[in-house]
């Protein structure tokens, strides 16, 4: 229902921005909020998309930066109180965010994040092309020969084929 109503049935970008502990323990790979929104704008432009869904554990920095700077419509579960009031456990929010992110036209995750790796794996079970799931946020937006540098996830995060045990995902 969220996808059909908020995204109006159109393709969208989904991103996972891990914050909290990663800001302290993953300082070499975790970008700041401004770098994230700069990269999101780059992905939106490259993919020709107008909407972005952001899954994050950020208290507020990502939401604030996104609303100010992202050149497209921004959606977070926390901005939809009618939906989030039904969650009695934080894991429910996480499960819904994963479900929405897995169904996006294009996904960008956080380096070294298990949450991101589960979304990438789910996307492969859904039959999404690896190229639409493998990119992760770089520490900073860097250009090489006028093009954005790509930070790519490890290959093991993507199933090489759709297994019959996952038939319910792709039929």
């Amino acid at each position: 229902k969220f996808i059909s109503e908020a995204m109006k049935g159109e393709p969208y970008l989904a991103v996972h921005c891990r914050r909290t502990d990663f800001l302290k323990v993953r300082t070499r790979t975790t970008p700041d909020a401004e770098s994230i929104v700069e990269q999101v704008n780059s992905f939106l432009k490259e993919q020709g998309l107008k909407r972005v869904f952001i899954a994050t554990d950020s208290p507020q920095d990502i939401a604030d930066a996104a609303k100010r700077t992202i050149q497209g419509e921004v959606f977070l579960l926390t901005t939809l109180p009618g939906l989030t009031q039904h969650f009695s456990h934080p894991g429910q929010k996480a499960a819904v965010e994963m479900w929405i992110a897995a169904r996006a036209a294009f996904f960008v995750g956080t380096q070294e994040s298990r949450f991101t790796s589960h979304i990438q794996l789910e996307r492969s079970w859904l039959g999404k092309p690896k190229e639409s799931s493998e990119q992760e946020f770089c520490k900073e937006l860097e250009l090489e020969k006028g093009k954005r540098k790509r930070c790519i996830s490890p290959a093991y995060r993507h199933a090489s084929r759709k297994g019959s045990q996952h038939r319910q995902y792709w039929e």
Side-chain angles (χ1 to χ4, degrees):
K1 188 174 177 178
F2 170 82
I3 293 172
S4 61
E5 289 181 9
M7 302 304 182
K8 300 177 181 147
E10 294 182 20
Y12 60 95
L13 170 67
V15 300
H16 170 235
C17 306
R18 177 72 183 265
R19 310 305 285 152
T20 58
D21 60 323
F22 270 41
L23 293 171
K24 292 182 177 126
V25 298
R26 302 274 195 263
T27 56
R28 291 182 327 128
T29 57
T30 303
D32 63 23
E34 296 306 321
S35 180
I36 288 172
V37 296
E38 190 177 18
Q39 291 179 65
V40 167
N41 281 331
S42 178
F43 285 113
L44 285 169
K45 185 177 179 182
E46 286 174 17
Q47 299 301 316
L49 300 171
K50 299 174 188 169
R51 294 174 180 83
V52 60
F53 172 75
I54 301 174
T56 185
D57 62 349
S58 165
Q60 200 59 36
D61 70 327
I62 296 295
D64 292 343
K67 290 174 189 172
R68 279 192 321 271
T69 316
I70 289 181
Q71 299 163 355
E73 289 184 75
V74 177
F75 299 91
L76 295 96
L77 282 188
T78 56
T79 60
L80 302 165
L83 181 62
T84 57
Q85 70 185 10
H86 301 292
F87 301 150
S88 59
H89 187 277
Q92 292 173 310
K93 175 185 176 278
V96 170
E97 285 180 325
M98 285 178 143
W99 195 93
I100 294 168
R103 283 145 182 84
F106 200 86
F107 173 73
V108 181
T110 297
Q111 291 183 44
E112 304 178 274
S113 166
R114 287 187 183 185
F115 190 86
T116 285
S117 70
H118 289 289
I119 293 169
Q120 291 166 329
L121 189 57
E122 176 93 4
R123 288 177 60 79
S124 66
W125 291 337
L126 289 168
K128 303 279 185 182
K130 179 181 176 184
E131 298 75 28
S132 73
S133 307
E134 67 184 355
Q135 296 198 48
E136 297 179 340
F137 287 110
C138 298
K139 173 75 173 171
E140 295 176 1
L141 179 62
E142 296 178 36
L143 298 178
E144 292 178 355
K145 298 180 183 178
K147 291 191 172 187
R148 182 184 44 75
K149 178 185 166 192
R150 296 167 36 116
C151 291
I152 304 297
S153 64
Y156 65 81
R157 290 189 178 177
H158 309 278
S160 59
R161 60 185 171 78
K162 296 189 270 186
S164 60
Q165 72 274 24
H166 302 296
R167 188 174 309 279
Q168 64 183 350
Y169 287 101
W170 43 269
E171 280 190 340

